[in-house]
Amino acid sequence: MIELAGVTKVFHEGRHNALVALDGIDLTIPEGRITVLQGPSGSGKTTLLTVIACLSRPTAGRVRVAGEVVSNLPEAFLADVRRRTFGVVFQQFHLVAGLSARTNVMLPAYPTGRSHADIAGRAGGLLDRLGLARLAEERVEGLSGGEQQRVAIARALINDPRVVVADEPTANLDSALSADFLGILAGLRDEGRTVIMSSHDPRVCQASVVDRVVHLLDGKLAA
Amino acid sequence: MRAWINRQSLLIDYTLSSLGRHGGRNLGLFAVYAGIVFVLASTMLFTHAIRREAKALLAHSPEVLLLKLKAGRHAYLTRADLDGLGRLRGVSKVEGRRWGYFFDSLAGANYTLMAPSAGSPDRGRIDVGDGVARTRGLAAGDTLSLRSAAGGLHAFTVGRVFSAESSLIAADLVLMNPSDWEAFFQLPDDVFTDAALSVVNPLEVKNVARKISDRLPEARVILREEVLRTYDSLFDWREGVLLALASMAAAAFGILAWSKASGLSADERREIGILKAIGWDTRDVLTMKLWEGALISGGAFAVGFLVAWAHVFHFEAALIAPVLKGWSVLYPRFILTPSIDAASLLTLGLLTILPYTLATLVPAWRAAATDPDQVMRGTE
Ligand SMILES: Nc1ncnc2c1ncn2[C@@H]1O[C@H](COP(=O)(O)OP(=O)(O)OP(=O)(O)O)[C@@H](O)[C@H]1O
Ligand SMILES: [Mg+2]
């Protein structure tokens, strides 16, 4: 379970161009469910996801992950929580060009101290499950958008995270691929993982697999 | 421990692939780097080896060498002179040496013709140093004809071609029978070019030298330890000049490396952002970059050093020898005996590897220490 209390994020704090991106968010995200953050552009969806996934720290407020307050942890510990708990899928996928699909999937596990064989095996299993076994040794820049995203999903899963975070995951996909993607998310949820994603795509928000939609407006929760 | 090894080996894996992907940028740096190490290491190896050579050579040379002068010019010693020297207290042995220079106009080279007092070749036969053998294309059994100053042609049969442990002097040496020597230079059998003295007590060598000067006021006494010192300072000076030049090059390189390394490319910054966003922490990124710096600088060092090694010990230091042994009249071919001086190797290694590795760390640390949320908004 992830709990946010009074989470505020101010960019350029104390300067003339200070910008309040999140403004006192109180939110509880249930475990083992698919939650969607919806809101217009600039409403703070991405910012909220980075705070949840421990990619950045809030300016004020608390974030608890599985009962542990993470919002004031020093960077080294935060990175540890991030690695153990979250798998992130970015809107632009952010795969490392020049590396194979398998290597990309393996990257988050490099610092964990597990052996190469162990990680490579697990990466193979994930790619297989996502229908990419055939493309495992291909360089990622040659793959199609949908394939790249599935590589990104496999990468998010390599450390077996309890929470999968995805920012606008369907923005670069056509409707067939979007439907596939939602299917994959449903599978992850059925394994007991928590899924949090942002989207302003109505097809996503209204999809039957989505358990809960949270509306954001100008950095605040909307009814 | 197992986990530590796994982690390091995977980080190295990543580093290697990253070096491959950002190849062009690193390759130029690697080349310049290896080039500087090459010059520095060549100089070091060469001067070290040649000094060692000189020491080995002088170890076999007499403690005291005596030349007789008359009116300030070199004169021959007579047997009576040698007997007189032998009677001096503290002198254990006197050996008259007979040698002379000969300019071979055919080869355009100077030879040293010497008649050893013991173990000299039979009449009509000579032993030649490998330098002489090479310039005249001689092998054992061939005939070498030399025209003496008096005009007569003297033919000798080569008995043996020798290459001494020190090619510095042996290369131009021709050993012949004393009678042949006398005939060739038209000298009587009672003359000696110089005298080699052994002393009873090496610590007394200065006193003995003074006694000789008293007895033969015009004699020039050369002590081995003095030669050794001269030799050392000569090479110190030459090495110093070359090292000064090389350090200037190294400094220029340092600036280049710093500016190259401190500006991470946009690609690299993006990659660091991604790695952090997918679960690496600052330490992981820095460790990876540390390996990168160490691999580039260590690799360049190894390459530069090995090429320098080959250059000095297999290719006669062709590129730097003219600077370092410009005084040599004989131009003997040097094949130096490989030897390394561990302290200089270590210094050279530290001076090149450490600064570069640190230079790569600073910018990486700056990139890695920022929160990874920016990558969420990165555009491609
Ligand atoms: N690093 C930053 N520095 C300054 N302002 C920022 C930064 N990141 C985000 N912002 C601002 O914070 C606000 C919220 O941005 P955010 O990206 O969270 O919105 P979003 O809901 O994800 O929008 P979109 O639907 O366009 O992705 C925006 O006004 C944005 O300009
Ligand atoms: Mg966004």
Side-chain angles (χ1 to χ4, degrees), chain A residues 131-148:
Chain A
L132 292 168
R134 190 171 55 81
L135 301 171
E137 310 309 329
E138 296 292 316
R139 289 172 162 220
V140 289
E141 63 268 32
L143 304 182
S144 73
E147 289 161 349
Q148 290 197 15

Side-chain angles (χ1 to χ4, degrees), chain B residues 109-123:
Chain B
N110 267 306
Y111 303 150
T112 303
L113 307 191
M114 183 178 241
S117 53
S120 61
D122 295 339
R123 287 213 65 166

Side-chain angles (χ1 to χ4, degrees), chain B residues 121-328:
Chain B
D122 295 339
R123 287 213 65 166
R125 297 181 74 85
I126 51 171
D127 293 340
V128 298
D130 51 6
V132 179
R134 199 173 324 104
T135 47
R136 290 293 293 254
L138 295 173
D142 290 351
T143 302
L144 175 67
S145 296
L146 302 174
R147 188 173 295 279
S148 74
L153 203 59
H154 297 247
F156 301 98
T157 308
V158 176
R160 199 165 66 88
V161 173
F162 57 86
S163 53
E165 69 256 49
S166 167
S167 40
L168 253 178
I169 45 139
D172 73 332
L173 204 56
V174 175
L175 299 179
M176 52 176 62
N177 186 276
S179 311
D180 286 338
W181 191 83
E182 287 154 23
F184 190 82
F185 286 115
Q186 296 191 299
L187 289 168
D189 69 353
D190 186 33
V191 305
F192 299 89
T193 318
D194 58 20
L197 276 63
S198 305
V199 294
V200 180
N201 178 359
L203 297 173
E204 288 288 297
V205 73
K206 285 235 162 67
N207 285 333
V208 175
R210 215 185 46 241
K211 275 191 232 158
I212 297 171
S213 300
D214 288 346
R215 190 184 168 84
L216 287 171
E218 275 201 303
R220 222 179 112 209
V221 182
I222 301 163
L223 303 183
R224 182 171 64 192
E225 55 179 57
E226 275 172 7
V227 176
L228 216 61
R229 254 204 311 279
T230 315
Y231 219 80
D232 256 358
S233 58
L234 179 68
F235 274 109
D236 275 345
W237 183 77
R238 285 177 186 280
E239 186 183 35
V241 170
L242 214 71
L243 284 181
L245 286 176
S247 8
M248 277 190 286
F253 166 75
I255 295 164
L256 171 87
W258 180 268
S259 67
K260 277 254 187 186
S262 55
L264 284 179
S265 70
D267 264 1
E268 284 172 303
R269 256 202 305 275
R270 204 184 133 251
E271 258 181 52
I272 290 178
I274 294 176
L275 292 174
K276 284 210 68 178
I278 63 175
W280 290 34
D281 63 22
T282 308
R283 216 181 30 145
D284 301 325
V285 173
L286 288 186
T287 310
M288 184 269 286
K289 281 286 167 186
L290 198 67
W291 280 117
E292 181 185 305
L295 285 173
I296 292 188
S297 54
F301 179 79
V303 168
F305 192 82
L306 289 178
V307 176
W309 177 279
H311 170 229
V312 170
F313 296 120
H314 294 281
F315 297 99
E316 301 156 33
L319 300 177
I320 56 164
V323 185
L324 283 168
K325 63 176 175 81
W327 47 272
S328 170

Side-chain angles (χ1 to χ4, degrees), chain A residues 116-134:
Chain A
H116 185 276
D118 177 12
I119 302 170
R122 190 170 156 70
L126 287 167
L127 287 170
D128 199 17
R129 170 176 162 191
L130 292 165
L132 292 168
R134 190 171 55 81

Side-chain angles (χ1 to χ4, degrees), chain B residues 18-58:
Chain B
S18 157
L19 285 178
R21 277 175 288 127
H22 309 288
R25 196 176 110 95
N26 293 315
L27 208 67
L29 208 61
F30 189 93
V32 180
Y33 205 132
I36 288 174
V37 171
F38 168 78
V39 174
L40 288 171
S42 291
T43 309
M44 256 176 41
L45 287 174
F46 184 78
T47 48
H48 180 70
I50 209 167
R51 265 206 211 113
R52 221 182 61 119
E53 192 108 343
K55 287 220 171 95
L57 163 76
L58 290 169

Side-chain angles (χ1 to χ4, degrees), chain A residues 47 50 55-57 75 79 82-83 90 92 94-99 107-108 110-111 113-116 119 155, chain B residues 3 6-7 10 14 17 21 270-271 274 276-282 284 371-373 375-378 380:
Chain A
T47 308
T50 63
L55 290 167
S56 74
R57 271 164 289 191
E75 144 74 18
R82 181 159 75 227
R83 176 159 59 222
F90 305 95
Q92 263 93 16
H94 290 316
L95 300 175
V96 178
L99 296 180
L107 283 181
Y110 273 18
R114 283 151 63 191
S115 75
H116 185 276
I119 302 170
R155 183 178 66 181
Chain B
N6 281 339
R7 175 170 175 268
L10 283 166
Y14 183 84
S17 85
R21 277 175 288 127
R270 204 184 133 251
E271 258 181 52
I274 294 176
K276 284 210 68 178
I278 63 175
W280 290 34
D281 63 22
T282 308
D284 301 325
D371 277 340
D373 62 326
V375 76
M376 280 287 229
R377 300 168 210 284
E380 272 173 283

Side-chain angles (χ1 to χ4, degrees), chain A residues 149-161:
Chain A
Q149 187 180 48
R150 280 181 281 154
V151 173
I153 297 169
R155 183 178 66 181
L157 295 174
I158 189 77
N159 285 334
D160 199 17

